[in-house]
Amino acid sequence: MNVTAIRRDFPILAQQVNGHPLAYLDNAASSQHPLQVLEAIQHYYTHDHANIHRGVHTLSHRATDLYEGARETVRAFINAGSLREIVFTRGTTEAINLVAFSFGQRLAPGDEILITTMEHHSNIVPWQLLCERSGAVLRVAPINDAGELLLDEFVQLLGPRTRLVSVAHVSNALGTVNPVKAIVAAARARGIPVLLDGAQAIAHGAVDVRELDCDFYAFSGHKMCGPTGTGVLYGREAILRDMPPWQGGGDMIRTVSFSGTTYNDLPYRLEAGTPHIAGAVGLAAAIRYLTAIGMANIAAWEAELLAYATAALAQIPEVKLIGTARHKAGLVSFNVDGIHPHDLGTVLDQQGVAIRAGHHCAMPVMERFGLAGTARASFAFYNTTGEIDQLVDAVRVAQRMFA
Ligand code: C6P
């Protein structure tokens, strides 16, 4: 993989920040956009924009074709069996809320939803709200000190009242890659559907929803070089078919009358209102870009970056890694003795290094480790070992400042 050539597609990376070359290591929060994505969006707005599914005129047809073409690009990317299984959303958060509001309508008091300690707030709070609405109960499977799911305990929590399992494919706070195939197999053996939160997985290796055999898969465009405000809920057709609408408005209806309204087919029934058309166009361009590089090549390079960063940070005795799972994605969450993560993040920024510091919207994980927060460096395929050297040098600068 030619990272130097790839970086030419990302002008934003070639800038100085606070007098230093930018080392953008905050990709788990949001990744950057190649020119190909920016150009696709600009071309859409310059030539093709109109509202979709409604118009009789040429621009509306073009916009509809681009939007529905993007749906096909997403379908192929995750190997879903049908376009009816691809619901566009504003992001992972909205995709999970969609399931909570729609699928969740069938939950009764005493039913259970099973998640894990390492979930992002987006995969906790929608279930807490659903429990408040329905009287269902949220169960939480524990993790070990390395940040790995305790699979046996997870399986023991699958009970006769479990109605849904919802688990991160990859933890944003720890980098843990969960054993999602074993999780799905255990749940499906008991007839329990599984939602995988793919926000931190989708851009970092091939995702095949049929191979995973999951029932739902949620992800965000902005973590895979696409625009913010875009995302996808994959849902197995047999489940989506029975799910009631969750938002009402245009596009999701077939007929509206004061004597009764009928609803559209999948996936439109779950997509109310004018969507982010340009966003879908940009997301499709991002998928084409990632696919051209190759998801296997991306996974291999990011594994090298992870190994390099882990070894480099291990040279500093005061650095403590949080999240040392055997199977990890390309991010390092860490603390430095005597330096608050926010102070560390600020000093790193002064050295041109962009990381995230804090609880990473995963406060229960922080509580599990007894921490207020961590510093987190997260990698994308366009990152270099040189940027990791810059990170490590900046950590040493911070240590001297706080000594
Ligand atoms: N995590 C991070 O810095 P949205 O905001 O809808 O695009 O994604 C929410 C979300 C859901 N699940 C996981 C595992 C995530 O990591 C995220 C977003 C970012 O870690 C921003 S908080």
Side-chain angles (χ1 to χ4, degrees), residues 10 55 57 98 109 111 179 236 272 324 337 353 373 379:
F10 292 83
H57 58 81
L98 188 166
D111 283 347
R236 193 190 293 277
T324 49
D337 285 350
V353 179
F379 312 123

Side-chain angles (χ1 to χ4, degrees), residues 74-208:
V74 170
R75 186 209 61 74
F77 186 59
I78 61 171
N79 194 29
S82 159
L83 288 169
R84 290 185 291 278
E85 300 182 318
I86 306 298
V87 181
F88 281 122
T89 67
R90 285 193 297 122
T92 308
T93 303
E94 190 176 69
I96 296 174
N97 276 278
L98 188 166
V99 177
F101 274 92
S102 174
F103 176 87
Q105 284 183 36
R106 54 167 86 139
L107 265 63
D111 283 347
E112 295 176 7
I113 300 153
L114 178 58
I115 62 169
T116 79
T117 309
M118 73 177 88
E119 301 310 319
H120 184 277
H121 296 165
S122 293
N123 197 26
I124 300 174
V125 184
W127 309 122
Q128 290 178 324
L129 292 169
L130 173 59
C131 288
E132 280 176 28
R133 289 196 300 274
S134 65
V137 179
L138 191 61
R139 299 257 180 251
V140 185
I143 59 176
N144 65 19
D145 290 342
E148 295 165 321
L149 178 66
L150 294 169
L151 197 56
D152 289 346
E153 312 213 6
F154 168 84
V155 172
Q156 274 166 24
L157 284 165
L158 294 170
R161 298 299 302 269
T162 313
R163 296 288 174 257
L164 183 73
V165 166
S166 193
V167 174
H169 191 165
V170 172
S171 154
N172 71 315
L174 305 170
T176 309
V177 180
N178 272 317
V180 284
K181 279 191 163 180
I183 288 170
V184 172
R188 282 185 72 72
R190 293 160 178 80
I192 302 165
V194 179
L195 185 156
L196 296 178
D197 171 354
Q200 297 297 345
I202 192 72
H204 305 288
V207 168
D208 181 329

Side-chain angles (χ1 to χ4, degrees), residues 127 131-132 147 184-185 289 309 322 331 353 384 391 398 400:
W127 309 122
C131 288
E132 280 176 28
V184 172
Y289 186 84
I322 316 298
L331 70 82
V353 179
T384 64
L391 164 74
R400 286 195 290 277

